[in-house]
Amino acid sequence: METTLTLAAWNERAAALRPVTQAFIEGRYHPAVSAETFPCINPATGGVLAEIASCAAPDVDLAVASARRAFESGAWSRMAPAARKRVLLNFAELLMEHREELALLETLDVGKPIADSLQVDIPGAARCIQWYAEACDKVYDEVAPVPDHTLALVTREPVGVVGAIVPWNFPLLMACWKLGPALATGNSVVLKPSEKSPLTAIRVAALALDAGLPPGVLNVLPGFGHTAGEALALHPDVDCVAFTGSTRIGKRMLEYSGRSNMKRVWPECGGKSPNIVFADAPDLDRVAEAAAAGIFFNQGEMCSAASRLVVHESVREALLEKICALGAAYRPGDPLDPATRLGALVDDQQLRTVTGYIDSAREEGARLCLGGDQVRRESGGYFVEPTVFDGVGPAMRVAQEEIFGPVLSVLSFRDEAEALAIANGVMYGLAAAVWTRDLATAHRMSRRIRAGTVYVNCYDADDITVPFGGVKQSGNGRDKSLHALDKYTELKTTWMDLR
Ligand code: NAD
Ligand code: MN
């Protein structure tokens, strides 16, 4: 589905847009209890899009109570699976019907290209809800192989009230990675979107209600991490926190759990993924395209960004030349222009973080090959050029730390052992790629790289059917696939004596 809308048409729609700005509790929109608001910024202009309800502990109390009541009522948690499926399928259809509106909200809120919001974020979110909807009446429980006079049932029960705390880089998509499996298994959810990207989460709460989700099953609380987020993660009546965000805050989630009710915590955190290119890589043009897309797509604001190019010395120069040539296609542009492939960074703070890393690379002696500057200043927005540094040492900050911007660090290696040491020599373990013609090398490397996903001769292959998540300090949850159902269910063992 290509959009036929032009930049002018999108601008017209943007000017007419009146986003919903309030919290959604018990099936209705409410201002924050404190009546406080915070500004929602359009990072392409620096302008204020709306004033958003700033939720805090009192709102969390209301939302969790509403979620608990809904859960205990059984209206959703004990609804027949086929009926639950129907509601979630309706929800997925409504997301697609509102695809242009939601894509516009997403692009205005976070600065990502409208073509990506339309083709990746919103359809991906709808597909996720649809896929878990269909699982509702297809996943069976177990009967254990126990002695003849007994019967032991192993059943999955919803955990209860799920707190979902999500980031801003794919606002609706990350929310749906939680909502799909959590709702399909009968839980109630309190969703806290990032303060940098609240608009789509707020909007879709009403769509879920229209789809037939009972009031209280999905509550949405816009607000800051240290207010709404902390209160939700510390709440004694929340049974599970599904978190996607930074490693620093993911660690706090584990503390909140220990300080409160030992709720289960699923941290899905950052990455510094290596894209490893051997001398026998099948096709350097394809490698270059994947390497560029791997770091420039979504402004590099990707947990799984291919942020470290780890390349054999013999092909380094040729590959670097191709990647830098492709950089031209990612010249930062107006996110509402359908031709734009690289938009604005999410806010002023992220701009400063990214330019700070660019400065650190220069200071530590890396060689700038492409970009390196803030651009489009006249727009008032936060744009950075696609940037490539060669000659990066494994200990440099730009080789170790997640930048979350369009900045590629190029490291070179001489043999497989060195490539592996570089690949595993960071605290993260989210994704990795290996490019080689040699099947044995591909297998050996993919076994020894510590990462949740290894791509061979590709990067960022993606489908709802496969689990996604990390090891080490990239966290340990898995979103997507049937495995995600485990996060939102408890195993119940029921013994029956048949004598
Ligand atoms: P962040 O950790 O700053 O914030 C994530 C969420 O936590 C937001 O909703 C925020 O408001 C909330 N939060 C912040 N401080 C909090 C606190 N003290 N208590 C409770 N909640 C708090 O991360 P971000 O900047 O929004 O997102 C970027 C990060 O997300 C990157 O590190 C990226 O790699 C990661 N990410 C990971 C995945 C994955 O699947 N592993 C996917 C997307 C993004
Ligand atoms: Mn915003």
Side-chain angles (χ1 to χ4, degrees):
M1 263 202 285
E2 286 292 314
T3 174
T4 52
L5 293 175
T6 59
L7 171 59
W10 283 114
N11 274 323
E12 216 169 281
R13 289 195 183 189
L17 195 70
R18 297 287 171 272
V20 200
T21 59
Q22 295 184 321
F24 193 80
I25 302 172
E26 197 91 57
R28 287 194 309 114
Y29 286 110
H30 301 261
V33 171
S34 67
E36 279 176 26
T37 63
F38 66 90
C40 175
I41 305 294
N42 177 354
T45 64
V48 176
L49 288 163
E51 286 289 332
I52 307 293
S54 187
C55 294
D59 308 278
V60 170
D61 287 341
L62 291 175
V64 171
S66 144
R68 177 61 61 189
R69 268 194 306 278
F71 183 74
E72 297 300 339
S73 80
W76 180 252
S77 54
R78 293 193 293 275
M79 185 186 275
R84 214 189 276 150
K85 172 180 74 174
R86 190 60 256 161
V87 171
L88 291 177
L89 287 175
N90 292 344
F91 182 33
E93 278 162 26
L94 285 176
L95 293 177
M96 282 310 272
E97 272 173 35
H98 292 262
R99 175 168 166 242
E100 289 182 346
E101 176 198 345
L102 293 169
L104 179 60
L105 287 172
E106 213 75 302
T107 284
L108 290 174
D109 208 348
V110 302
K112 65 171 65 199
I114 189 72
D116 294 344
S117 299
L118 272 173
Q119 280 146 38
V120 179
D121 292 73
I122 310 306
R127 163 96 173 118
C128 174
I129 299 295
Q130 176 215 354
W131 196 82
Y132 284 105
E134 285 166 355
C136 284
D137 60 358
K138 294 175 191 65
V139 177
Y140 289 67
D141 288 329
E142 301 164 13
V143 179
V146 291
D148 187 60
H149 69 277
T150 56
L151 180 63
L153 308 177
V154 183
T155 52
R156 289 180 182 282
E157 299 192 339
V159 295
V161 175
V162 174
I165 300 180
V166 295
W168 47 262
N169 61 334
F170 292 89
L172 186 60
L173 186 61
M174 293 303 106
C176 286
W177 283 8
K178 314 300 186 198
L179 293 180
L183 292 176
T185 43
N187 296 281
S188 293
V189 179
V190 178
L191 169 64
K192 195 206 82 67
S194 167
E195 63 278 12
K196 298 177 186 183
S197 61
L199 296 181
T200 46
I202 293 175
R203 177 67 184 98
V204 303
L207 296 181
L209 192 78
D210 292 346
L213 201 70
V217 175
L218 172 59
N219 306 273
V220 177
L221 297 181
F224 290 94
H226 61 273
T227 54
E230 178 168 309
L232 184 59
L234 277 173
H235 202 287
D237 205 28
V238 170
D239 301 295
C240 164
V241 166
F243 172 80
T244 300
S246 64
T247 293
R248 187 172 67 87
I249 303 298
K251 288 181 176 180
R252 279 208 204 166
M253 296 294 145
L254 298 164
E255 287 175 22
Y256 294 143
S257 170
R259 276 165 51 197
S260 57
N261 60 343
M262 232 186 196
K263 58 178 67 68
R264 48 163 85 169
V265 175
W266 298 108
E268 327 259 359
C269 301
K272 189 74 187 178
S273 301
N275 187 16
I276 305 166
V277 184
F278 283 90
D280 68 342
D283 176 351
L284 278 194
D285 288 313
R286 258 183 61 216
V287 181
E289 267 164 43
I295 188 65
F296 302 141
F297 176 68
N298 212 51
Q299 301 68 247
E301 296 163 330
M302 290 278 287
C303 52
S304 58
S307 52
R308 294 185 292 152
L309 181 68
V310 182
V311 56
H312 191 268
E313 273 190 348
S314 65
V315 287
R316 187 184 54 100
E317 252 172 64
L319 182 58
L320 210 52
E321 200 173 298
K322 289 178 193 293
I323 293 172
C324 290
L326 289 170
Y330 292 93
R331 198 152 38 84
D334 184 340
L336 285 180
D337 184 339
T340 293
R341 290 177 71 189
L342 188 84
L345 296 176
V346 74
D347 65 2
D348 181 42
Q349 185 194 340
Q350 192 64 16
L351 172 75
R352 279 182 279 121
T353 302
V354 172
T355 53
Y357 275 112
I358 291 173
D359 293 342
S360 86
R362 285 191 171 113
E363 282 155 23
E364 290 189 87
R367 188 172 66 83
L368 182 69
C369 303
L370 183 72
D373 284 313
Q374 185 187 350
V375 289
R376 293 177 61 88
R377 285 171 198 262
E378 71 291 349
S379 66
Y382 316 118
F383 297 87
V384 169
E385 293 175 296
T387 296
V388 176
F389 279 103
D390 188 19
V392 172
M396 288 184 192
R397 284 185 63 208
V398 292
Q400 288 290 327
E401 298 173 25
E402 183 180 52
I403 300 173
F404 229 54
V407 181
L408 179 64
S409 302
V410 182
L411 299 92
S412 57
F413 68 89
R414 271 155 303 197
D415 58 31
E416 192 178 313
E418 192 183 4
L420 190 65
I422 291 172
N424 285 337
V426 295
M427 73 172 184
Y428 296 108
L430 192 55
V434 180
W435 298 81
T436 174
R437 268 203 196 92
D438 188 297
L439 203 55
T441 306
H443 273 293
R444 238 182 355 256
M445 288 295 288
S446 64
R447 284 187 182 174
R448 291 183 190 162
I449 291 171
R450 295 198 61 206
T453 299
V454 179
Y455 305 104
V456 176
N457 295 338
C458 59
Y459 203 95
D460 266 345
D462 177 46
D463 199 64
I464 189 71
T465 54
V466 294
F468 181 82
V471 300
K472 294 159 71 179
Q473 292 185 48
S474 291
N476 50 47
R478 289 292 180 277
D479 283 318
K480 314 199 302 178
S481 85
L482 292 180
H483 295 286
L485 300 176
D486 296 342
K487 293 163 57 172
Y488 306 104
T489 49
E490 303 275 11
L491 290 180
K492 156 90 49 91
T493 301
T494 308
W495 280 102
M496 295 188 196
D497 192 320
L498 306 177
R499 282 171 299 191

